Amino acid sequence: MPVFPGDRNVLLKQTHFVETNGNSNFRLDAPLHIGTHIDSPAHFISGGKRISEIPLEQLCGRGILVDVRNKSEIGIESVDNIEIFSGSIIVFCSEYFKNWGKDSYYIDYPVLSKELCEYLIAQKVKMICLDTPSPDKSPYENHPILFNAGILIAENLTNTDQLLGIGEFMIHALPLKINSCGSPARIIAQYEI
C-alpha cells in the first residue's frame, strides 16, 4: 500500500495457518495514517483529542458533496450555490483518488484554500472528507486551523464520483477506537436508490 513519504511501509504477514496452527491469524504493522483514514486534532495539536475521544455523533451525519474536479486549488468559489449547514460532513470530489499508486500521488494533489477552511469553520461543519492525501501541503497550515475549530479530516477516500447527482446522503466514518492521532477507517455513504 502506498504510504505518505517518510512513513514506514505497510507489512501484512500471516502468522498462523489453519493447517498447522488450527486457526488463521495475521499481523499488521503500519502507520495509522494509511489508505482511507481519519485525522484527529492530536495529529497537529498538542493535547488535542485522539481518535478514541471522538464521539460517534461527530463521525456520522448528513453529507454534502462538493464537486471540485479539475481544480489545482479548491477555493471558496467551489461552494457557491451550495447550502452548507451546521453539523454537516463535506465530501470533496476531485476524482484525484484515480491517481492512487502513482509516484505523483503525494505531490500533485489539490489543496483547500485558507479562505474556504475559514468559511467551513463559520458554517460549523463537523468533518471534511477528501479523495486526496491532505487538505494542505507543507507546512500544513490548514490542519491546525480546522482542528482548532473542532473539524475532523478524513483523507484518501475513493469512489467519491459515485455520489455525483445522488442528492441527499449520510456519511458513516468509522475508525478503530484507538488512543492515537489517526486511524484507518471505513467511510461509506448511505442514500436511497
Side-chain angles (χ1 to χ4, degrees), residues 16 30 48-49 62 65 76 83 85 102 136 138 156 158 171 188:
H16 291 77
K49 284 187 178 180
R62 186 168 162 205
L65 185 70
I76 195 157
E83 182 183 358
F85 52 88
K102 293 182 182 176
D136 50 14
S138 183
N156 295 328
T158 61
I171 289 290
I188 61 168

Side-chain angles (χ1 to χ4, degrees), residues 88-189:
S88 59
I89 296 174
I90 309 302
V91 178
F92 290 97
C93 173
S94 71
E95 293 189 323
Y96 191 77
F97 69 87
K98 294 178 179 179
N99 295 301
W100 178 257
K102 293 182 182 176
D103 291 341
S104 62
Y105 182 77
Y106 288 106
I107 299 168
D108 295 333
Y109 59 92
V111 298
L112 304 185
S113 72
K114 185 176 178 183
E115 184 182 24
L116 176 58
C117 290
E118 289 169 352
Y119 176 77
L120 296 174
I121 290 166
Q123 300 311 114
K124 298 184 171 136
V125 304
K126 58 184 173 182
M127 181 166 53
I128 63 167
C129 297
L130 305 157
D131 60 4
T132 66
S134 179
D136 50 14
K137 294 180 180 173
S138 183
Y140 304 104
E141 294 174 346
N142 288 341
H143 271 83
I145 289 171
L146 294 166
F147 289 147
N148 278 319
I151 298 174
L152 298 176
I153 302 169
E155 300 167 334
N156 295 328
L157 275 74
T158 61
N159 302 319
T160 53
D161 56 342
Q162 293 181 19
L163 295 173
L164 293 166
I166 289 296
E168 291 188 16
F169 62 93
M170 297 290 292
I171 289 290
H172 305 280
L174 304 176
L176 300 172
K177 189 175 181 181
I178 53 179
N179 192 25
S180 171
C181 64
S183 171
R186 189 71 187 259
I187 302 178
I188 61 168

Side-chain angles (χ1 to χ4, degrees), residues 8 22 29 39-40 46 49 65 84 147-148 154 167 172 181 192:
R8 291 175 54 181
D29 182 5
D39 293 348
S40 77
S46 179
K49 284 187 178 180
L65 185 70
I84 307 237
F147 289 147
N148 278 319
H172 305 280
C181 64
E192 295 293 326

